[in-house]
Structure formats: structure tokens, C-alpha cells
Amino acid sequence: MARMPKPIETPVPSRAELVDHLVRTRIAGDVATPRDNNLAHYRKLANGDRHYWFGLELGDRWTDEQDVLAVMAERCGVVDDAAYRFGQDTIDPELTVAALDRLAARLRKAALDRQSVLLATGHPGGLLDVHRATAAALRAAGCEIVVVPQGLVADEGSVWQFADVAVLERGATLWHTHSPEPMAAILDGLAAAGRPQPDLVVADHGWAGCAAQRGLDAVGYADCNDPALFVAESEGTLQVAVPLDDHVRDPRYYDPMVAYLLDAAGLL
């Protein structure tokens, strides 16, 4: 029988090396998302468009788009000048790494306490392998990776797990979705089966927002045109929001970031 090749191991970068890598690959720094798109999304959140709330209940606390911009400048690193309306926008790579350090601390706690963890993504084209690698490391450290109940449906699709990561599937295709409904289906399905809710949810988009709104410990990744998770972090509903471009040209660009994260969490 032929031997299976060993997986390629990504060297753990230093903080300075990671910052440089994030900028070179446009995970942070000058990212692809244009300024006018960012501002349009901030405005829609402020105007109460639930599509941009990611399953969070923001009430009337964020009706001024300038307040949303201020949070995004503070926590994501976009340009804080409200008069700057077109052109390139930015994510501060130092804020990305600082958030990764906070996320690592929460993953370390999960591992030390052998907690149950649910991982999910609404951006499988970019972040599926980020979550998969995190799940594998947590499982190796003794965590329980929550198994999603069978037969769940949401948004005219099915909720499945691939490589321990929950995703939305339609017609043999993994879907990009901001919706909180797939996460709601999982959490309701667990409750209906008499199973406990996860100790920690690691996710993005509405998957993270829904879990946080239900009072679970939740952390997530978010792009600079997705303000809801940063607003939730500022209010203390979400524990960590990591700012990054969530769909760069090659998903392997995230590998050094994941290596840094798992090393900082003591999971390598």
C-alpha cells in the first residue's frame, strides 16, 4: 500500500512576520473592499436592515452611521474620516494580530477546560480551512467538537458538517451566507435532542452573531464591510471579532495566520 504523504506544516511566523504577510496578501492593510461599499453597509446597519445585523438584536442603539464608522475605525482600522467616501479602505494588521491574540486566549481556555466547541462558517470559499484546522487542534487537545444534528434545514438549504465545520449546503454546493438561520437551526436542534449547548462557538457572519445573541461564548472573523460583529464586540455580546478580508485570492494565504493563532493558543 502506498504511503500517504505527510501534510505540509506551515512555519509559525513571528508577530512582525505575520503583520508583513497580512499586508502582502491583502488579508489586512489595503484590502479589496472599496470604501463606498463599507459605508453603504454601515448605513444599512444603522437604518435597521436586519440582513446586516447578523442575527444580533441592536435595538435603536446604532441608528447613527457615524457611530458605526467610529467603532469600525477603532476595532477594524478603516479610515476614520467620514468625508472620505470613495477609494481604498484599510484593515489595520496590528488590530488583526491583537484580535488573534485575544482569540488564542479563548481557545487556550477551551482546551484547558476540555470544553465543547462548535465551529461554523458562512464563508466556506475563504474560511473553511481556517475553521477546520482550528477544530483539529482543539480535538487533539481534548475538546469535544460538537456534532450537528442530522436533518437540519435553513434558508432553503441543508445544514451539514464538513471536516468538523458546520456549513449551509444547497444543490451539492456550499453557500456563502450572512444569515443567522443555519446557526439557529443547529442550536434549536441540539435543544430538541436534549443535548447541551456548546461552551464555545467559533464562527463568522450570522453564525457567530446568532450564537452571541443567544448568550453563548462566541468569537468570530469579520470583514471591514461587515460591521455587526464589531458592534457586538464593542457591546460585549461577542467576545472577539477578528478583522480581516474574509475571501482573499488564495485560501492558503490564511495558513500562516492559523499557525500563529494555534501556536499562541498552545495548540501546536
Side-chain angles (χ1 to χ4, degrees):
M1 179 181 294
R3 292 184 179 180
M4 294 295 292
K6 291 183 178 180
I8 298 173
E9 294 184 359
T10 302
V12 177
S14 67
R15 184 186 184 93
E17 289 170 339
L18 180 58
V19 166
D20 179 69
H21 172 80
L22 295 174
V23 172
R24 282 189 293 103
T25 57
R26 301 183 72 186
I27 295 173
D30 290 337
V31 292
T33 309
R35 175 68 167 189
D36 56 309
N37 181 266
N38 282 346
L39 294 180
H41 287 201
Y42 305 166
R43 185 178 313 112
K44 289 174 181 178
L45 181 146
N47 288 341
D49 187 331
R50 291 302 183 98
H51 177 76
Y52 296 90
W53 284 19
F54 285 13
L56 295 154
E57 292 299 328
L58 304 179
D60 59 0
R61 301 185 299 278
W62 297 93
T63 57
D64 187 339
E65 66 182 275
Q66 302 306 319
D67 291 340
V68 181
L69 174 59
V71 167
M72 295 303 293
E74 175 189 15
R75 295 181 178 270
C76 188
V78 302
V79 177
D80 61 0
D81 181 4
Y84 178 61
R85 308 200 67 80
F86 298 95
Q88 185 72 54
D89 215 337
T90 60
I91 293 175
D92 185 341
E94 293 289 349
L95 292 178
T96 302
V97 179
L100 289 170
D101 288 337
R102 298 195 302 277
L103 175 55
R106 185 60 186 86
L107 296 180
R108 180 185 290 272
K109 174 179 172 52
L112 289 174
D113 294 346
R114 304 292 176 90
Q115 293 184 336
S116 62
V117 185
L118 173 63
L119 299 100
T121 185
H123 222 311
L127 299 179
L128 180 60
D129 206 46
V130 172
H131 292 299
R132 178 210 58 79
T134 304
L138 288 169
R139 182 187 293 280
C143 288
E144 173 196 350
I145 303 303
V146 175
V147 176
V148 171
Q150 292 184 328
L152 300 180
V153 295
D155 297 330
E156 300 180 348
S158 300
V159 182
W160 299 108
Q161 261 175 321
F162 291 91
D164 286 330
V165 184
V167 293
L168 181 67
E169 184 266 351
R170 291 188 204 165
T173 301
L174 305 187
W175 276 69
H176 172 210
T177 177
H178 290 186
S179 173
E181 294 306 317
M183 178 59 75
I186 293 174
L187 300 180
D188 291 345
L190 290 172
R195 294 169 55 192
Q197 299 290 285
D199 296 316
L200 175 65
V201 173
V202 182
D204 48 69
H205 287 181
W207 304 77
C210 175
Q213 184 61 43
R214 293 201 180 193
L216 300 177
D217 281 8
V219 296
Y221 299 93
D223 210 327
C224 58
N225 64 350
D226 293 331
L229 296 189
F230 297 103
V231 166
E233 183 188 36
S234 75
E235 292 192 327
T237 309
L238 186 81
Q239 293 190 337
V240 182
V242 179
L244 47 66
D245 186 319
D246 56 15
H247 198 153
V248 292
R249 184 168 58 86
D250 187 340
R252 289 174 295 184
Y253 288 163
Y254 296 112
D255 289 354
M257 181 191 79
V258 175
Y260 177 93
L261 170 68
L262 298 182
D263 181 69
L267 295 175
L268 289 185

